[in-house]
Amino acid sequence: MTMKLEFPLLGLLAARSMTGYDIARWTRVEGKFSGLDRHPSQIYRLLSRMETEGWVSHVVDPRSTAPDAKVYSVTDAGFARLLRWVHSVYSPPRRFQDPEFIGRLRIAAMVDLPRALQLLEEELEARRRQVAENRGRDRGEDHLSEAARPEIDVHALALFADELNAYGEAAIDQWIAWLERMHDVITQQLAQRGAEQGATELGTTEQRAAPSESGSSERTGR
């Protein structure tokens, strides 16, 4: 599944204003770990199109010793588009560690923690089901008693297939463990925020009630 680059860019610009050079450097350094590395010319073309669509805007930052730079920021329309994408239906692909899921989760964590938690739960359900359906499956095609051609080493084939299968199982188990850890972290964050909000609301209620109680006491004294 290929994620549209516009959404990660909108997410970047929602967090902070950046020049096209800054964005290109981010995709080259950080984006390569999530399949988002792009040639700078592609990024500049996309920024131009996004500005035409009204999703980003720029101001010129004058430079005395270098060409002036365009500093891009996300607009209200661009942020609304980003939110629609974050809340759109997520269909887990067959392959785990998909760049679109990682990008969507990253942005959801910035703007809507409950949605991030929901995405984690959907991905967890899909990967647990994937393990249940495939772990321990019949792999007879990897363990042949003899091959169709004499040049084929069936023992080496079985060894390689077993090692590759073990690697795949360990990788998805590690992915599930990370998802579970992130689920716990976000759940704790939401609980903490709920407690803080409850304490704030309680304090506000008590402050509003205090003058009323004082006035009541004064009236009783009279």
Side-chain angles (χ1 to χ4, degrees):
M1 183 181 297
T2 303
M3 174 173 50
K4 291 184 177 179
L5 185 60
E6 67 192 54
F7 296 118
L9 294 195
L10 288 173
L12 284 175
L13 295 177
R16 68 184 181 97
S17 299
M18 302 174 71
T19 65
Y21 174 81
D22 291 333
I23 295 172
R25 182 161 55 92
W26 184 91
T27 60
R28 184 177 67 254
V29 177
E30 300 295 335
K32 64 185 178 183
F33 297 109
S34 52
L36 296 175
D37 49 326
R38 298 290 192 279
H39 192 276
S41 62
Q42 183 179 356
I43 293 170
Y44 286 112
R45 287 197 301 271
L46 179 56
L47 285 170
S48 177
R49 182 176 69 82
M50 291 168 65
E51 189 162 24
T52 300
E53 296 287 350
W55 302 333
V56 302
S57 61
H58 80 269
V59 295
V60 176
D61 180 20
R63 307 286 176 90
S64 58
T65 59
D68 294 346
K70 292 182 178 181
V71 181
Y72 292 89
S73 301
V74 70
T75 64
D76 290 344
F79 191 66
R81 178 173 175 78
L82 182 67
L83 290 180
R84 285 195 297 273
W85 177 68
V86 168
H87 291 96
S88 63
V89 175
Y90 170 64
S91 300
R94 290 194 308 166
R95 294 179 63 87
F96 61 94
Q97 295 179 328
D98 182 72
E100 177 170 347
F101 170 77
I102 296 172
R104 194 185 294 235
L105 180 64
R106 175 191 179 99
I107 295 171
M110 294 193 308
V111 300
D112 189 345
L113 269 184
R115 175 55 177 161
L117 189 65
Q118 184 181 27
L119 287 170
L120 283 166
E121 291 171 348
E122 292 173 355
E123 177 71 5
L124 266 171
E125 180 183 1
R127 301 314 158 197
R128 286 168 176 162
R129 183 172 61 250
Q130 194 173 16
V131 169
E133 292 174 352
N134 293 282
R135 188 68 54 91
R137 69 189 182 281
D138 178 25
R139 296 175 46 245
E141 68 277 4
D142 294 331
H143 297 82
L144 305 174
S145 58
E146 59 180 335
R149 292 188 60 91
E151 298 91 343
I152 301 302
D153 186 337
V154 294
H155 298 293
L157 170 62
L159 176 62
F160 177 80
D162 287 345
E163 289 296 325
L164 187 61
N165 184 70
Y167 173 81
E169 290 183 352
I172 195 169
D173 288 344
Q174 186 177 20
W175 177 245
I176 289 173
W178 182 81
L179 293 172
E180 291 172 338
R181 185 165 66 252
M182 286 302 301
H183 188 278
D184 291 343
V185 168
I186 293 180
T187 299
Q188 292 171 6
Q189 285 288 314
L190 289 172
Q192 181 178 346
R193 290 186 182 185
E196 291 173 353
Q197 183 179 358
T200 300
E201 292 175 351
L202 178 61
T204 302
T205 301
E206 291 175 345
Q207 289 176 358
R208 290 175 178 173
S212 175
E213 293 174 355
S214 174
S216 175
S217 299
E218 292 175 359
R219 288 192 296 273
T220 302
R222 288 176 189 157

